[in-house]
Amino acid sequence: MLNLAVILRESATAEPERPAIMYDGGTISYRDLDTLSDAVAAALTRRGVQPGDRVALHLPNIPQFPIAYFGILKAGAVVVPLNVLLRAPEIAYQLTDSQSRLLITWSGALEEAAKGAAEAGLTGIYSVGPVDGTAAQPFTELTVPCEQTWPLADRDGGDIAAIVYTSGTTGLPKGAELTNLQLYLNADIPGRLFDIRSDDVVITALPLFHVFGMSSTMNVGVRFGAALSLVPRFTPHAVLTAVTRDRATIFDGVPTMFTALLAQPHDDRYDTSSLRVCISGGDAIPAQTLDAFEERFGVPILEGYGMTETAATITFNVSPQDRRAYSVGRPVWGVEVQIWDPDGRRLPPGAGNVGEVVTRGYHTMRGYHDRPQATAEAFAGGWFHTGDLGYFDDDGYLFIVDRKKELIIRGGYNVYPREVEEVLHRHPGVLMAAVVGVADPRLGEEVKAFVVPRPGPAPDPEEIIGYCRERLAAYKYPRLIEFRDSLPLSGAGKVLKKELG
């Protein structure tokens, strides 16, 4: 038996009075988080939810997310986290595809959630906040106290604990089936390697509906009894305020968050001296951003690598002493990683041996929900194919070059957008940049850069092109520059390149 909710029960038993949740409304102890999630488990069971049933969780980073999350798990049900930015048709698709029985949402998204639920034929809706004039019932109905500790439902390690939908860069999003054992080990092993402690306070600004926030922040924190400092919506001010208020020691973020924090003016209101380390993942962090952040804040950034299907850790730089700058680290315990050429042959270490990153181990999903063909393709040859391109150095550190599907082939030459973006981020007038391939009748594809300039006089496009031309091979530098006020971002803060072009 292994029910993922055991990570909460054990931490609540070990140190019941230690803060589990910190937010602008106060704190919730591990004892209270355990008790409140017990109430949710009991309420769901009374409403007919059985082990293996799906319950959709459509909440931002508010206390009700971990309360509901662990309650669903305790009842033996499967958590289906939904991005709070989804519109009604997208909600309907994921509710239908996952076969969810209930939906827990919040007042800020209730209108879209109710429409989506109606389209999916789902009637059981509970909402945090006002529910006036809707078919939803208040979430408080699920938190009526139990008379006794709720027993964890019997679940096997191979049973699904969560179905998390991919971003859907091609086609419709697919639901990755993440198991109890997979999520437990992805909380336990990276947490041990990283040496997270019960006196740590982790800034939880990454969306909990995303696997990075759910697995690598929330589950890891709860497994080791740390406090989660919840930030409902990322802004530099909100994060720096939470760090100051809660004396946070760890900040988990994606590269766009570090870029935004760097752009925040110095302010005496913020005290970040309590931070001991930052963790970057979800996308490749530009070298310029990493160096500038460490210099300004005096805190090391440890970069890791993972994805929804691996929930999430594959490789990690485990400490400031044992890291390789600009690398995503080495495979964590129990995880195998290789680099394959297009014919499925393993490539040796070396920057010249770029190939697809493949992996296998406890960390990989059971499969894509109701997608046997997609699952078989993803696990071709017995290894999970990440779709990322990279290489190992001689010391076993992995370097990610780019997404396989984002590779630009210009006149027969391979152009890796990340390499061009690294150069653009070093330009003093560039705040953010994203590089994509656009159709070209002569070359097949041309290199185009979308640039968010820094405040002040806008840089000249030709000057930026010239800057890149001096630092990149002739076939690599962008010929097209388009300025934007911002770049489209996913709910997890990744640049949505599919919306550019």
Side-chain angles (χ1 to χ4, degrees):
M1 170 188 166
L2 178 61
N3 185 317
L4 179 62
V6 72
I7 62 177
L8 171 58
R9 182 60 50 81
E10 289 179 343
S11 291
T13 301
E15 296 188 84
E17 303 308 324
R18 183 171 288 281
I21 305 296
M22 307 173 83
Y23 63 113
D24 60 6
T27 62
I28 297 174
S29 70
Y30 268 96
R31 183 200 306 278
D32 290 342
L33 179 56
D34 196 35
T35 299
L36 288 164
S37 56
D38 275 356
V40 172
L44 293 176
T45 302
R46 287 195 300 269
R47 285 158 174 77
V49 173
Q50 299 179 6
D53 285 346
R54 281 76 163 160
V55 177
L57 194 51
H58 186 228
L59 298 174
N61 291 10
I62 56 178
Q64 289 82 358
F65 190 108
I67 291 168
Y69 176 87
F70 286 106
I72 294 167
L73 293 173
K74 287 178 177 181
V78 176
V79 180
V80 183
L82 304 182
N83 189 326
V84 297
L85 299 179
L86 295 180
R87 308 298 291 181
E90 298 167 311
I91 294 170
Y93 166 74
Q94 294 188 17
L95 291 175
T96 302
D97 187 74
S98 64
Q99 301 165 330
S100 292
R101 286 197 55 186
L102 293 174
L103 169 65
I104 299 173
T105 186
W106 63 300
S107 58
L110 181 54
E111 183 178 354
E112 291 296 315
K115 290 178 184 176
E119 186 177 334
L122 187 150
T123 57
I125 308 175
Y126 293 86
S127 179
V128 177
V131 297
D132 299 341
T134 69
Q137 301 174 68
F139 178 76
T140 51
E141 291 188 7
L142 300 180
T143 56
V144 178
C146 294
E147 295 182 359
Q148 59 187 18
T149 299
W150 188 260
L152 304 185
D154 288 344
R155 301 296 283 161
D156 183 75
D159 289 336
I160 305 169
I163 297 176
V164 182
Y165 280 83
T166 62
S167 58
T169 52
T170 58
L172 292 169
K174 300 184 291 291
E177 297 177 337
L178 312 181
T179 69
N180 285 277
L181 179 62
Q182 176 190 11
L183 289 169
Y184 179 86
L185 291 177
N186 270 287
D188 184 76
I189 292 169
R192 291 181 187 275
L193 289 172
F194 178 57
D195 191 30
I196 191 169
R197 306 184 292 262
S198 62
D199 60 352
D200 275 318
V201 177
V202 187
I203 291 295
T204 309
L206 290 164
L208 293 175
F209 55 73
H210 185 270
V211 73
F212 191 0
M214 183 190 83
S215 181
S216 298
T217 302
M218 181 175 67
N219 287 353
V220 170
V222 170
R223 166 66 185 89
F224 292 92
L228 305 175
S229 175
L230 298 183
V231 178
R233 179 177 176 273
F234 172 81
T235 65
H237 171 71
V239 165
L240 295 171
T241 298
V243 171
T244 303
R245 180 191 67 220
D246 298 332
R247 306 304 297 147
T249 57
I250 300 171
F251 171 61
D252 294 351
V254 294
T256 54
M257 291 181 175
F258 291 100
T259 300
L261 287 167
L262 273 172
Q264 179 76 3
H266 288 274
D267 196 316
D268 292 339
R269 293 176 296 170
Y270 309 128
D271 179 3
T272 60
S273 62
S274 58
L275 286 173
R276 69 178 179 90
V277 71
C278 296
I279 297 171
S280 179
D283 207 350
I285 186 169
Q288 174 73 12
T289 300
L290 187 150
D291 292 340
F293 188 94
E294 292 190 346
E295 180 179 355
R296 174 172 166 182
F297 289 93
V299 183
I301 296 177
L302 301 180
E303 193 171 3
Y305 167 62
M307 54 201 318
T308 300
E309 293 88 342
T310 63
T313 311
I314 299 174
T315 63
F316 193 55
N317 283 288
V318 298
S319 72
Q321 295 75 35
D322 182 25
R323 72 167 177 172
R324 187 65 48 87
Y326 318 138
S327 158
V328 293
R330 292 185 285 197
V332 300
W333 182 91
V335 169
E336 294 182 80
V337 181
Q338 293 183 2
I339 306 297
W340 286 7
D341 70 11
D343 296 321
R345 293 174 299 204
R346 184 179 184 180
L347 293 172
N353 293 318
V354 172
E356 183 176 13
V357 180
V358 297
T359 184
R360 66 182 179 186
Y362 66 83
H363 62 311
T364 57
M365 66 176 179
R366 196 169 82 169
Y368 291 116
H369 180 63
D370 281 350
R371 301 283 200 286
Q373 183 176 346
T375 300
E377 291 172 356
F379 284 96
W383 293 68
F384 177 71
H385 292 248
T386 66
D388 289 320
L389 298 172
Y391 67 91
F392 278 110
D393 70 10
D394 291 333
D395 296 320
Y397 286 87
L398 179 64
F399 291 78
I400 299 298
V401 174
D402 228 313
R403 287 290 296 169
K404 188 176 179 181
K405 292 174 182 175
E406 292 176 4
L407 174 68
I408 301 169
I409 302 179
R410 181 184 186 276
Y413 290 96
N414 290 353
V415 179
Y416 301 112
R418 183 187 176 190
E419 182 181 9
V420 183
E421 289 162 0
E422 288 280 358
V423 172
L424 286 164
H425 279 111
R426 291 199 292 269
H427 188 284
V430 173
L431 178 63
M432 296 179 66
V435 171
V436 301
V438 294
D440 183 89
R442 184 173 64 88
L443 299 167
E445 285 186 292
E446 185 56 273
V447 182
K448 181 175 182 177
F450 292 85
V451 171
V452 178
R454 292 187 180 277
D460 179 71
E462 290 303 320
E463 192 273 327
I464 290 181
I465 292 173
Y467 179 89
C468 294
R469 184 170 54 237
E470 292 174 0
R471 292 161 175 81
L472 291 166
Y475 64 90
K476 294 181 182 178
Y477 72 86
R479 268 67 171 182
L480 304 170
I481 303 289
E482 181 175 325
F483 291 113
R484 293 281 185 94
D485 293 333
S486 63
L487 297 178
L489 302 178
S490 71
K494 286 186 179 182
V495 176
L496 295 172
K497 290 189 176 182
K498 64 181 179 179
E499 296 185 10
L500 300 172

